[in-house]
Amino acid sequence: MSGSVGIMLPREVAPADVARVARACEAAGFGEIWVVEDCFFTGGPTTAAIALASTERVVVGIGILPAVVRNAAFTAMELATLAGAFPGRVHAGLGHGVASWMAQVGAAPASWLGALRETTDAVRELLAGCEVRTEGRYVALDAVRLDHPPEVVPPLSLGVRGPRSVALAGEAADGLVLAEPTPVAYVASARRRLDEAATGSTRPGARLLTTYSWALAGAHVGDGDRDEVLRGRVLDALRHGGTEAHVADLPGDVRAHLDDVRSGRAALADDVLDLLVLRGDGVAPGIAAQHAAGADTVVLVSPRPADGVDTLLADVVALAEAAGLQ
């Protein structure tokens, strides 16, 4: 299988269960484990540290750290500590953060793009061992240099959606993380935009593309139950907004159908569901299609984390089998 296959360690996993779940993900054959930092669950760097210390080979991605809630120097310190202790096994992620959460904690910037750009530039330079002097609107550093820059500098990707933010990922970062859902057309479009932006950049980057995809498989889940779980996740996403970029590259009739679904005028059709999620026998072909469209890593996201750790662990094994990892 070309490309890597990862799995999400959901935000609902309690701190005491992180090590157990991380070990299960590695044992199942996944090459990467991605953690999230959503308000107000668990901290991204600390969760990543537990996952790294509990495993031996997997890359642990942090998707994502909101750029506006930490001083850039301290963000770099945390990432450098992880990368120094676990060289080659850290993939760092920055992003805008959810606007409502950032406002809730008093951290909403006047310019989201400006704050992310300044933070990205500073963190990358610090991780590379540079002394940073900058007096920006959001990042002000006076001759700051890390005492322990990592020997293996971790890639820094941006978890963003909009076209200007995707361009920033290509210009200033090492890659892009796409939140779920990730239909193949969206992946292909993001790959093209990322590469175009990176081509014009003076800063070399890996141009990594990581995608998150809801996925569910396994005999322990009845077909009808599985589909309803996935439908529910898609409906929640449509109704809460923020999915415009994800579906913009789909055919016009599909977008019109999703508008009808969002407004309650239609039920989600099976063929459209298959564009948005990976289910059952479609998991492996769906992963392959995203890799072919330009994804370097496809991260599978169980839609059932709230059902408890045992359910999540069953999903981990079933998804590994469906993905052809076992």
Side-chain angles (χ1 to χ4, degrees), residues 192-265:
R192 182 176 64 255
R193 293 171 182 169
L194 181 67
D195 288 348
E196 288 173 352
T199 299
S201 174
T202 59
R203 303 185 64 173
R207 304 183 189 182
L208 297 169
L209 180 58
T210 302
T211 66
Y212 294 170
S213 291
W214 289 310
L216 198 55
H220 61 284
V221 181
D223 287 345
D225 292 340
R226 178 180 63 217
D227 292 350
E228 287 310 305
V229 168
L230 291 167
R231 286 177 196 278
R233 205 33 95 88
V234 171
L235 288 173
D236 285 345
L238 291 173
R239 289 168 180 166
H240 286 90
T243 57
E244 294 80 5
H246 302 248
V247 302
D249 298 294
L250 294 175
D253 59 332
V254 175
R255 298 198 308 274
H257 174 70
L258 290 173
D259 286 338
D260 289 339
V261 172
R262 184 182 294 110
S263 64
R265 295 190 299 268

Side-chain angles (χ1 to χ4, degrees), residues 28-225:
F30 290 99
E32 301 187 14
I33 299 171
W34 281 75
V35 304
V36 297
E37 185 173 75
D38 283 351
C39 295
F40 296 96
F41 290 87
T42 54
T46 46
T47 303
I50 297 170
L52 286 161
S54 304
T55 54
E56 297 180 357
R57 60 170 180 80
V58 291
V59 170
V60 175
I62 306 174
I64 51 85
L65 300 177
V68 293
V69 299
R70 290 180 179 83
N71 180 284
F74 284 83
T75 297
M77 286 166 59
E78 289 181 321
L79 296 175
T81 300
L82 291 174
F86 304 97
R89 294 183 55 204
V90 177
H91 189 156
L94 289 174
H96 298 300
V98 176
S100 60
W101 287 339
M102 298 304 100
Q104 189 177 1
V105 299
S111 171
W112 295 90
L113 197 64
L116 183 56
R117 178 180 290 275
E118 289 184 21
T119 303
T120 301
D121 287 344
V123 170
R124 279 197 76 186
E125 291 178 17
L126 288 167
L127 290 174
C130 301
E131 180 178 280
V132 179
R133 298 173 183 266
T134 182
E135 186 65 41
R137 186 177 184 183
Y138 300 98
V139 178
L141 300 177
D142 182 9
V144 175
R145 184 194 299 270
L146 298 181
D147 281 322
H148 297 286
E151 291 187 10
V152 180
V153 178
L156 179 63
S157 291
L158 302 188
V160 291
R161 291 186 175 94
R164 291 194 300 163
S165 297
V166 170
L168 176 60
E171 294 165 7
D174 299 308
L176 173 66
V177 179
L178 299 180
E180 65 278 18
T182 49
V184 172
Y186 178 40
V187 176
S189 175
R191 166 51 72 188
R192 182 176 64 255
R193 293 171 182 169
L194 181 67
D195 288 348
E196 288 173 352
T199 299
S201 174
T202 59
R203 303 185 64 173
R207 304 183 189 182
L208 297 169
L209 180 58
T210 302
T211 66
Y212 294 170
S213 291
W214 289 310
L216 198 55
H220 61 284
V221 181
D223 287 345
D225 292 340

Side-chain angles (χ1 to χ4, degrees), residues 270-282:
D270 283 344
D271 58 339
V272 176
L273 180 66
D274 285 332
L275 295 175
L276 303 177
V277 303
L278 306 178
R279 52 178 178 157
D281 294 339

Side-chain angles (χ1 to χ4, degrees), residues 288-302:
Q290 289 195 36
H291 281 148
D296 294 289
T297 300
V298 177
V299 179
L300 306 184
V301 182
S302 167

